[in-house]
Amino acid sequence: MPVIAVIGAQWGDEGKGKVIDLLAEKAGVVVRFSGGDNAGHTVINPFGEFALHLLPSGIFSSQTICIIGNGVVINPAALIDEIDLLNQRGVDTSNLAISDRANLIMPYHILLDGLEEKWRGGKALGTTGKGIGPAFADKVARYGIRAGDLLDKEALLERLRQVLDYKNAILTKVYGVEALSLDEIYQQYCQYGERLAPYIRETTVIVEEALNREELVLLEGAQGTFLDPDFGTYPYTTSSSPLAGGGCLGAGISPTRINRILAVFKAYCTRVGEGPLPTELKDETGDFIREQAHEYGTTTGRPRRCGWFDAVAARFSTRINGFTGATITRLDILDTLPRLKICVGYQLDGKTIDYFPSSIAALDKCQPIYEELPGWQVPTTDIREYEQLPPQARQYIDRLEKLISCPINLISVGPERGQTIFKTPIL
Ligand code: GDP
Ligand code: IMO
Ligand code: MG
């Protein structure tokens, strides 16, 4: 059985949680490979409705081992809350494994996230405030504390003492705020360690064993392609790679083992936080989509900015991820609109371009060039066969398929697991 990476193809919140939950029933292993509790993956299934931040969205499938990979930064308090919440709601989490190599979010990361945003003033990035950027910065600066460190209390104390000395110097001397207490953080993280110890282990071997048993392995991306620090709208990005390539590093799996890369696109675009969104609709259509779709952040509750489907961005996303197939989610949100637009090029400094510029200054100047298609104006939420979609909806999907240049495997017409049309096989 193969490895399928499920990747956010736009600015995040494309519906990755729904897709993973749907596919996980057949999977031996699901690995979350990037981000942290900045992610919010909504799953609606027979257990109820859940917003998952750290737990892989395969957690509801009891025969599936769910791994929080080395590429994730873990806030232990948030993870413990999430485990408790699921257990209270009747979901068994004994199938969870946490990579001993995953870096931890520490109290100073959360504090610094807020202080850095304040420092940026009018140029704030609009982060989720979860300490993600500072935690990934520490990982590469080699100041990180990892899940495995929780298993050795003496070593943890030594490591924390060294790192906290440095962090306290920054907190007090640069930002003029109070130093954090070594003892308090140490005691707190020892408690987290005791609670999480049963789950923390070397995890790459779990994936290897599943592949040897020929089981399906899913890599669950967080965020979306245009929040990637290299290929996204830098510096308005997150701090770990949501791309398919990030899946290899963040799960500890070779690129040669990945068989399919499944994009998740919304039928339109949304973005939460600051930064360019070339097709943003600052008008009543944008407001209509936001209210119709309840486009408010799963993690922060902030309103999401909404716009038409951007095929220039989508093509770029396909290129750098190497999508072998795509899911289009939230098609039903467009059900009542009389006319739809797809961005097929940009107008930049009087020239027409068909590529996604790397600079935010250029992106800010890009004016979308739209193609218009008729809407279908009938409900699609109960449709389960592609052929039963109204002809205008099929026309819209066919056009997207051509523009993004990869086959559309799945179409989602509602948030629930069953509200899915299997158009073509993923494998
Ligand atoms: P993720 O971060 O990629 O997992 O996506 P989020 O969970 O943050 O946001 C996706 C939202 O769309 C959630 O509220 C889902 O329940 C919802 N959703 C997913 N697919 C569909 C769909 O096809 N139609 C509708 N109406 N909602 C959907
Ligand atoms: P999922 O997995 C949408 C955005 C934030 C902000 C930027 C940087 O649910 O798709 P950070 O806290 O990561 O430093 O914030 O990235 N962002 C997301 N937007 N979906 C997400 O995750 C996001 N995770 C981070 O809003 O603009
Ligand atoms: Mg989300």
Side-chain angles (χ1 to χ4, degrees):
M1 284 284 266
V3 178
I4 305 176
V6 176
I7 303 297
Q10 294 159 316
W11 280 268
D13 302 329
E14 298 89 348
K16 300 173 290 293
K18 168 175 168 165
V19 173
I20 291 283
D21 172 63
L22 175 73
L23 301 180
E25 286 180 310
K26 295 206 174 88
V29 175
V30 176
V31 193
R32 236 305 283 281
F33 68 76
S34 69
D37 62 325
N38 51 349
H41 294 184
T42 312
V43 171
I44 303 178
N45 63 23
F47 286 96
E49 175 167 353
F50 300 85
L52 301 174
H53 303 286
L54 284 163
L55 289 172
S57 303
I59 197 76
F60 304 93
S61 164
S62 56
Q63 83 291 350
T64 307
I65 302 174
C66 283
I67 299 175
I68 302 181
N70 57 282
V72 176
V73 287
I74 300 172
N75 177 337
L79 178 56
I80 291 167
D81 282 353
E82 210 169 305
I83 292 172
D84 287 346
L85 187 88
L86 261 72
N87 292 163
Q88 281 158 21
R89 293 180 63 187
V91 183
D92 175 21
T93 51
S94 56
N95 53 342
L96 173 69
I98 301 170
S99 167
D100 51 3
R101 293 181 167 87
N103 275 245
L104 299 177
I105 295 198
M106 305 299 292
Y108 42 83
H109 293 138
I110 298 169
L111 196 56
L112 284 165
D113 197 354
L115 291 166
E116 288 171 7
E117 279 286 84
K118 222 161 140 192
W119 187 277
R120 290 183 192 114
K123 297 245 188 284
L125 305 177
T127 73
T128 57
K130 303 286 183 186
I132 306 297
F136 279 113
D138 270 4
K139 174 178 173 176
V140 290
R142 292 152 295 177
Y143 284 116
I145 294 178
R146 311 203 294 182
D149 296 331
L150 296 177
L151 304 178
D152 179 343
K153 287 185 181 172
E154 259 174 55
L156 173 66
L157 181 60
E158 269 327 289
R159 180 77 177 150
L160 185 59
R161 193 191 309 279
Q162 181 204 1
V163 175
L164 193 63
D165 266 353
Y166 173 63
K167 292 291 163 186
N168 274 337
I170 295 173
L171 288 172
T172 55
K173 294 179 185 156
V174 176
Y175 291 103
V177 298
E178 264 184 48
L180 296 174
S181 149
L182 173 66
D183 192 50
E184 266 176 38
I185 299 178
Y186 175 64
Q187 297 302 338
Q188 198 176 45
Y189 276 67
C190 283
Q191 280 177 20
Y192 296 151
E194 281 163 23
R195 181 70 206 279
L196 295 176
Y199 302 109
I200 299 172
R201 49 182 295 195
E202 210 291 330
T203 51
T204 60
V205 68
I206 302 176
V207 177
E208 180 68 20
E209 283 169 4
L211 291 175
N212 290 342
R213 289 194 299 270
E214 308 230 317
E215 291 174 2
L216 173 66
V217 172
L218 299 175
L219 304 185
E220 177 176 358
Q223 289 81 54
T225 296
F226 297 101
L227 294 173
D228 179 73
D230 284 280
F231 293 100
T233 54
Y234 190 84
Y236 294 94
T237 62
T238 190
S239 304
S240 65
S241 176
L243 306 180
C248 298
L249 292 172
I253 189 167
S254 159
T256 59
R257 307 301 296 260
I258 299 187
N259 307 80
R260 293 288 186 274
I261 302 174
L262 180 65
V264 187
F265 287 100
K266 262 182 206 179
Y268 49 93
C269 281
T270 63
R271 170 166 205 162
V272 60
E274 302 307 316
L277 180 66
T279 59
E280 182 168 10
L281 290 165
K282 294 179 183 165
D283 61 10
E284 57 203 30
T285 308
D287 295 342
F288 171 83
I289 293 176
R290 182 176 314 103
E291 296 316 313
Q292 182 76 8
H294 193 72
E295 288 289 3
Y296 291 87
T298 310
T299 299
T300 58
R302 290 177 292 176
R304 294 180 185 142
R305 299 151 60 196
C306 301
W308 294 118
F309 190 90
D310 185 338
V312 179
R315 252 197 321 267
F316 184 55
S317 191
T318 303
R319 187 198 307 153
I320 58 176
N321 284 293
F323 295 137
T324 57
T327 299
I328 303 293
T329 64
R330 297 201 141 198
L331 187 72
D332 53 298
I333 299 300
L334 306 179
D335 281 353
T336 55
L337 291 170
R339 298 201 66 77
L340 305 171
K341 291 184 186 178
I342 302 175
C343 167
V344 292
Y346 300 140
Q347 196 74 25
L348 175 64
D349 294 332
K351 290 196 192 108
T352 300
I353 61 166
D354 64 357
Y355 61 88
F356 191 81
S358 62
S359 106
I360 52 164
L363 279 165
D364 277 338
K365 283 195 284 178
C366 281
Q367 293 300 320
I369 300 168
Y370 288 118
E371 203 174 273
E372 270 198 44
L373 278 85
W376 42 94
Q377 300 190 278
V378 287
T380 56
T381 47
D382 292 330
I383 295 176
R384 300 290 174 266
E385 302 290 332
Y386 183 65
E387 289 67 31
Q388 268 147 36
L389 281 174
Q392 298 90 333
R394 277 182 278 138
Q395 191 190 351
Y396 186 70
I397 292 288
D398 281 352
R399 189 65 189 128
L400 292 189
E401 192 164 54
K402 281 200 185 69
L403 288 165
I404 65 182
S405 43
C406 79
I408 290 173
N409 301 143
L410 305 176
I411 299 164
S412 175
V413 288
E416 290 178 25
R417 207 188 254 177
Q419 290 180 298
T420 310
I421 297 170
F422 291 82
K423 181 173 182 277
T424 52
I426 298 171
L427 294 168

